[in-house]
Amino acid sequence: MLGLKTDWVLEPEPRDYALADYEGCQAKWCPGCGDHSVLNAVQRLCRDERLPPEQTVFVSGIGCSSRFPHYMKTYGFHGLHGRALPVASGIRARRPDLNIFVATGDGDCCSIGTAHWIHALRYNMKMVVMMFDNNIYGLTKKQTSPTTRRGRRTNTHPDGAFLSPMNPITVSLGVPNASFIAQTVDWNPPHLYATLREAFHHPGFAFVRVMQRCPHFTGDNFELFQTDPSKILLMTHPDGVPVDDALIRTFTTRVEHDPADRMNAFNHAMREDVLPIGLFYRDEEAEHYDSYTREGLDTTPAEKVEAMDKLLDLYCV
Amino acid sequence: MTRQTRLPAPWRFYLGLDQPEPSTDWYAEALVTPARPEHLWRRFPLIDNGDGKPVPLPRVLFDALDKLEAEGAPARIIAAHRFHFLKAAASRGAGFQSDETFTAFEAMLDLSDAGREELSHEWERLKPFLPLSGHLLQPDHTLPLWLYRESLNARFSERRTAWCAELKHLADRLLDILRVEDGKQPRDAETLNAVLGKPGELFDTEAMATILSVPKGTPTMSAERRRRIADTLSVLAEFLQNPVKDLILCHRESLPCLADHPMQTASDGFQRAAEIFSGRVERLNRVFRAVRAARLELHGDYLPERHDLLLARFDWRDCTEDERFQLPQILVVERAEYLKGEHLGRFAALTASGLPLRVLLLRDAIELPDPNLGHIDIASVARACRGTFVTQTSTARPMHMLHGWNHMLEAIGPAVMVAAVPPDNCDTPLLLLEAALMSRATPLFHDDPNAGAHQAERFSLDGNPDPEAALAGDPPVTPADALSLLPRARHHFLPVTEEEPATAPLPQVLSSDNEDALPVIQALNEDETSRRVYIDGTVAGWCAALAADWRILQEQAGIDNPHAQRAAREAREEAQAELSQKEQEWKQRLEDIRDEAGREAMTRLARGLLDLEPDSLLPAARPLPSPTSPEAAEEPAEEVEPKPSPQAEPEEENYSEEPYINSAMCTSCDECTNLNSLMFKYNGDGQAYIADATRGTFEQLVSAAESCPAHIIHPGEPRPDDATATPEVLQRAAALP
Ligand SMILES: Cc1ncc(C[n+]2csc(CCOP(=O)(O)OP(=O)(O)O)c2C)c(N)n1
Ligand code: SF4
Ligand SMILES: [Mg+2]
């Protein structure tokens, strides 16, 4: 039709949100804890992407970082230790209309939850997974976690951790059908935000390892990287995490890395002389388990009963 | 002495004064090249297995044979008798069954037992490449409707099903809302008693009711909203039970029809179509409104004072692209020659109605104008209405026709297809259709008013043979050649027997190269020797009118547009003139420079020789201006004086007296805000800034800066009256990174 369409007036009012619309309880993390930074970045992301709080859900396991859902004024599920991902996958399976975020720690994800983590990567169901890596079990007060550096003294290894740490990035890169693997640091809010934003727009399972400072138990852990940004390797690429001039000025050690190149992603992830940040790998074509689980969403209860009866009838004698 | 007063016989024939017996001893088919049968039979029959993409059976067969050949397992017998195979397929009628066709084919060949066995092996190899069954389509008058259905199914079925699924989803979610509402129990004492036992027995239900009635959950829905949801639901449910219905309106039984498509015969189809559409779309309007109401309800966004009014005014004209596929497709089928008198008026009224109605007009590919009506081009009548999609097409070009339907069915307004079909009882339908195309008797075109604002965007002659030329073919095929293929038109032709008067080939006459000669076409005798045939004045006039129509179409399609050509010519001349003027100027300038430079060189040389200053014998400091840089020639290069350098400004030191925070890098860690929540506050992004430095001390600023994990707090200079700025604190401030 010519001219003005009247239809737009009938659209639901577009809703604008303020940060306060996402602010849940007062965060009870220690002052100086990197978790605050992630919380703020996520709240800004929700606001900027205009996510309706009632359409958004945060799922977590157990740990300091896993308290995250309490601090968001959205739906949340603070579950069992290591079991955030199965719960989130379940939500995704039948509520594909929701925006799903997962908060998990290095202990929660890479220790007790490893099996779920590996398979969730493979299922590639759409969600943003933030793995808060402070290299320690925080909530239970300083036990060795899978990512604790060798030699760091902890309550479980008072003379220093015995083994070299696991590398969650190379592990993820090795999982078939993994589709988005990124790394960022809590102390650079612009990079953190840009990484989370990319993750949110990824059509599948977006795994983001956030290097997170724990001033209380591992205060010196990232000090070197914080005071000398040249020790951080900024991965740049048009298909990667977008970087602005300020980031370029801050991070003088840079490398152009095409996130389609998985083998090269391994090479960067394995480096120990620098801490790489940015997008290691992205594959938007990877298949999604949720494309199967969402089938039959519109069956009514009556239809379900009928189908069930039919099935049971098969076993009538 | 008798004077020769009688006109020569050919002239009398031309003017229609004599009507000699039509002669039958010549024919023209073989000359309609390249429309010769062997080029044509590859195109038909088409085989259609319901996927909306009919393909020529010959092509399928030949491709399959080629593939077998390439794989090293050729089907020799079938390849040698491929035409028999096609004949066997066509002879079985419209329904193609590969096995039946094979049996008929086998019966046509007189094979030995060994040969039959070989043949059945070949068939086993070939069969997987062929469709097992399908519908065979010939270029006759049933083809347009068949393709109409193809297009309708391919483009509409899925979208309509998807839309219904969406409607069902909306309805289910509305039902959910009502179900939740039904589940909300009043928490009065009576209900509590029912659950918790007699009053006072275990609990004081009266007292509980007063506490529990404080509404904590969602409030109960208003009666008005409930009614609204129920109404919306009933409209959706009614539609889901009884979705869109299409219809074909036909004037007479004799017109082609589709067995499984709703049809009605109506003598006033053009008028009825609009009435039927309006009736059916009214129901759809209610559904479109219900869909919008449902979406708003689901978000809890329905505002009666705003949306009631807007929805009441909403109709199909405002609907979305997806919804447009839900509109009923009403197609009127008619013979083009039937559009005379009042019917023409009604047809024009339909095309001007703006309603998305479809019309299929069937016309004979070759028809002489009706002497009583003159030359009415029905496609032009339809094109006269802005906003009407018009396509003229031919059954000889099924893909053009299908393309036409695809666009027509999605047209927002009326759409008309004029389809050229072979005349009844025609022995060589394909040849005739092809000749009609080549001679421009039935040019193909699409005129799509929605394709753009300019003629060049909306009008296309794609699909015509050799669209740049006046006539296609070599030698060119004229409408008269095409007409000569029709036995009933034989009386318009007279074979040439004498050399008087002068003759000229018809194409020449049409392009006005030869106006004094009688036009003739080329034909063949029985013994295949060539001969010329006169055409009469009626045919010549008709050919000229068609040629003029074609020129106009070419012009509209941007081929051969005199306006554009004139503009281009003028622009070229202008550019040429400017160029030669410039050239002249440059020559002159070059001369001047040479003169001047020569004079100066001579002067310097003379002076140098007189003064014997060694320096001046060095090459001239000033280079010869080059003719390619006019500025250099006009303005002698100025001596470049060093510009006085701007006053060296003392570099401003980036000192800031005021304390500040680089907020973008703040990690929102609460350190500083815990220290002094009046001085440090979070901004709209949840990142810290110094809200009011006077609400705290310099020492606090320094402490905050020390504990800030992001190192982004800068304490600045202490205020003069700040007693906390002790030497020790100042030292700490200086030590900050
Ligand atoms: C099944 C089970 N085992 C052990 C625990 C004890 N526990 C609670 S939190 C935690 C480790 C959390 O570490 P991490 O996931 O890194 O979170 P952080 O506190 O460091 O953010 C452990 C072992 C538990 N709650 N449940
Ligand atoms: S101490 Fe630093 S990082 Fe923490 S809230 Fe204040 S300014 Fe932000
Ligand atoms: Mg941890």
Side-chain angles (χ1 to χ4, degrees), chain A residues 31-32 36 213, chain B residues 661-663 665-674 680-682 686-689 704-705 707-713:
Chain A
H36 292 284
R213 291 157 306 133
Chain B
I661 295 182
N662 180 5
S663 302
M665 297 299 286
C666 166
T667 65
S668 320
C669 76
D670 293 354
E671 282 273 13
C672 59
T673 51
N674 278 355
F680 303 103
K681 285 200 165 134
Y682 286 125
Q687 292 175 303
Y689 71 109
S707 63
C708 170
H711 310 307
I712 51 170
I713 301 180

Side-chain angles (χ1 to χ4, degrees), chain B residues 255-284:
Chain B
L255 286 167
C257 65
L258 288 172
D260 50 357
H261 195 284
M263 305 264 288
Q264 262 182 33
T265 34
S267 56
D268 53 348
F270 297 129
Q271 222 174 332
R272 286 282 298 140
E275 288 162 16
I276 293 175
F277 177 82
S278 306
R280 293 189 183 182
V281 87
E282 189 39 50
R283 189 172 145 247
L284 212 52

